[in-house]
Amino acid sequence: MTERETTRLLAWSTELRRVHQRIREALRVTQEAVSAGHPSERAGRDLLLYCHGFCAALDGHHRGEDRTLFPAIEQAHPQLAPVLRALERDHAVIAGLLGELRAAVDRSAPAEELDRHLEGVAAIMENHFRYEERRLLEVLETLELHAAVGEVFGPL
């Protein structure tokens, strides 16, 4: 195996960490926007942008994993099927929470309600990310997957 091939293989584990960090940062920025809670029209538009952007990034990340990454892992490591199903169930739970957050943002819910939604997403998301990293990073270091990073980990 050439050095470039080794670098590409190791990049999947590195890229997963990077994407998780970017999503954590997007959540932090969104939470700060909610906390600022200025009642002006501009603040409302900014909050819509932050919340919808965060939701789209997290949702896109999970759809990419479900569609591309997890099938590749399962093919190479069938013993991880129960782990992958648990992660997919987490994705479904998080998608439901994101739907509730989007609905709250769309109806201009008060900052306290938005904050509760974000805290719920944050708690589940962080637990999910940590579990995923514990169970999959080592596998990702040797996974041969020939796909674009955006296809595997979403648009972030």
Side-chain angles (χ1 to χ4, degrees):
M1 182 176 321
T2 69
E3 182 180 342
R4 180 180 168 95
E5 289 170 327
T6 302
T7 301
R8 179 64 240 156
L9 293 174
L10 294 176
W12 289 119
S13 61
T14 301
E15 197 60 37
L16 179 67
R17 283 189 191 115
R18 276 192 200 134
V19 168
H20 283 178
Q21 195 54 43
R22 287 182 196 139
I23 293 172
R24 286 176 177 117
E25 179 64 15
L27 174 62
R28 186 190 62 73
V29 168
T30 303
Q31 288 173 312
E32 287 176 1
V34 168
S35 293
H38 303 297
S40 73
E41 185 180 320
R42 177 170 163 64
R45 283 195 315 266
D46 287 349
L47 183 57
L48 271 170
L49 177 65
Y50 291 134
C51 284
H52 283 294
F54 165 71
C55 290
L58 185 55
D59 189 52
H61 170 63
H62 288 161
R63 279 188 280 111
E65 287 181 334
D66 290 346
R67 182 181 53 245
T68 305
L69 182 64
F70 292 173
I73 291 172
E74 190 165 2
Q75 183 176 4
H77 302 276
Q79 74 280 9
L80 289 175
V83 170
L84 299 172
R85 295 304 83 77
L87 291 168
E88 290 167 344
R89 283 190 300 274
D90 284 355
H91 291 174
V93 169
I94 292 169
L97 294 172
L98 292 176
E100 293 171 9
L101 172 60
R102 283 184 188 109
V105 169
D106 289 345
R107 64 178 163 72
S108 301
E112 299 80 24
E113 181 182 342
L114 295 175
D115 190 52
R116 282 193 308 271
H117 284 291
L118 287 168
E119 285 299 320
V121 170
I124 301 292
M125 181 189 85
E126 189 59 36
N127 186 54
H128 170 78
F129 282 178
R130 287 178 186 207
Y131 178 71
E132 186 173 62
E133 290 171 3
R134 270 194 325 271
R135 297 306 307 263
L136 299 184
L137 283 179
E138 188 175 320
V139 168
L140 290 176
E141 289 177 2
T142 60
L143 183 69
E144 291 194 45
L145 176 60
H146 303 285
V149 173
E151 179 185 339
V152 175
F153 291 124
L156 242 158

